[in-house]
């Protein structure tokens, strides 16, 4: 029942998750080859790649994809730029 901004970003060896501009998770990538189990599928937001019957049941705001890793400052700046639209 509440809006939240979720940001997932990665570099050569780590992944990071931010919720509402605050880092809540970081993890080291230990064995990912850089390829998908579904190399011919497109990118899906709000749908399970394993089963096309499973969809996110809620509302999503705009989705942005960047071609670079966002820094913590970038994430916080982006959150602060749109938080008022969603009452955050």
């Amino acid at each position: 029942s509440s809006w939240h901004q979720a940001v997932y970003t990665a570099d050569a060896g780590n992944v990071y998750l931010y919720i509402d501009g605050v880092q809540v998770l970081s993890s080291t990538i230990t064995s990912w080859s850089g390829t998908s189990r579904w190399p011919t599928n497109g990118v899906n937001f709000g749908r399970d790649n394993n089963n096309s019957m499973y969809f996110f049941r809620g509302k999503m705001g705009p989705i942005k994809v960047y071609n670079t890793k966002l820094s913590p400052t970038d994430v916080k700046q982006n959150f602060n730029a749109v938080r008022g639209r969603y009452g955050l």
Side-chain angles (χ1 to χ4, degrees):
S1 64
S2 299
W3 282 96
H4 293 280
Q5 180 200 53
V7 175
Y8 178 84
T9 189
D11 57 28
N14 301 288
V15 294
Y16 308 90
L17 176 64
Y18 297 83
I19 303 295
D20 297 338
V22 177
Q23 183 179 320
V24 296
L25 175 80
S26 66
S27 182
T28 301
I29 302 169
T30 58
S31 64
W32 186 55
S33 67
T35 59
S36 170
R37 287 181 30 196
W38 308 277
T40 59
N41 284 10
V43 173
N44 296 299
F45 295 97
R47 193 193 112 204
D48 186 338
N49 229 1
N50 289 316
N51 187 328
S52 63
M53 299 299 292
Y54 296 127
F55 288 89
F56 175 74
R57 299 192 191 288
K59 296 179 181 179
M60 287 189 206
I63 295 171
K64 293 184 178 183
V65 178
Y66 295 86
N67 65 354
T68 187
K69 176 189 177 283
L70 297 180
S71 71
T73 302
D74 296 331
V75 172
K76 190 69 164 180
Q77 182 179 10
N78 287 351
F79 173 70
N80 286 331
V82 298
R83 67 185 300 168
R85 296 181 198 172
Y86 303 99
L88 302 173

